Amino acid sequence: MDITGSGLHIMPEVILQSSHLVEELFADQNKLQDSALKSLREFKKLRVVRIAENQFKKFPEQLLDVQNLSVLEISKNDIERLPDNIYKMEK
């Protein structure tokens, strides 16, 4: 699912309703914040998340709970440090 450059603050309902299908989420160049990613832990097939160039000030820790995540792109945000429990991301 590609929503790059859409100016979004929240995840569109169509993505939330497709959580059982989405394997890749490209959401670069938006205005997403932590609250927009809360539902991602419900995405059982999600393997790739690209959220570069958003408005994250800290690492979105809900991503630690995404079970099958193997690629995460978070560059060009204002994240200064990774959480101590980053090791939870096994892949």
Side-chain angles (χ1 to χ4, degrees), residues 76-90:
K76 298 183 181 176
N77 282 289
D78 293 327
I79 299 170
E80 293 184 14
R81 67 185 289 261
L82 297 175
D84 293 336
N85 55 349
I86 193 79
Y87 67 88
K88 285 186 177 183
M89 298 181 88
E90 296 177 11

Side-chain angles (χ1 to χ4, degrees), residues 18-71:
S18 303
S19 64
H20 62 288
L21 299 173
V22 178
E23 294 181 24
E24 298 180 348
L25 177 61
F26 304 140
D28 302 315
Q29 302 171 349
N30 281 292
K31 297 175 183 176
L32 299 175
Q33 297 174 356
D34 274 358
S35 60
L37 303 181
K38 286 183 180 179
S39 61
L40 290 187
R41 58 180 63 129
E42 305 301 322
F43 286 55
K44 302 303 181 197
K45 294 184 176 184
L46 191 60
R47 297 177 297 106
V48 177
V49 173
R50 288 188 3 207
I51 53 172
E53 295 184 59
N54 276 278
Q55 296 182 346
F56 295 103
K57 304 252 185 266
K58 63 179 191 157
F59 183 87
E61 293 202 25
Q62 53 271 44
L63 293 174
L64 297 172
D65 297 327
V66 179
Q67 295 176 351
N68 293 311
L69 191 62
S70 59
V71 176

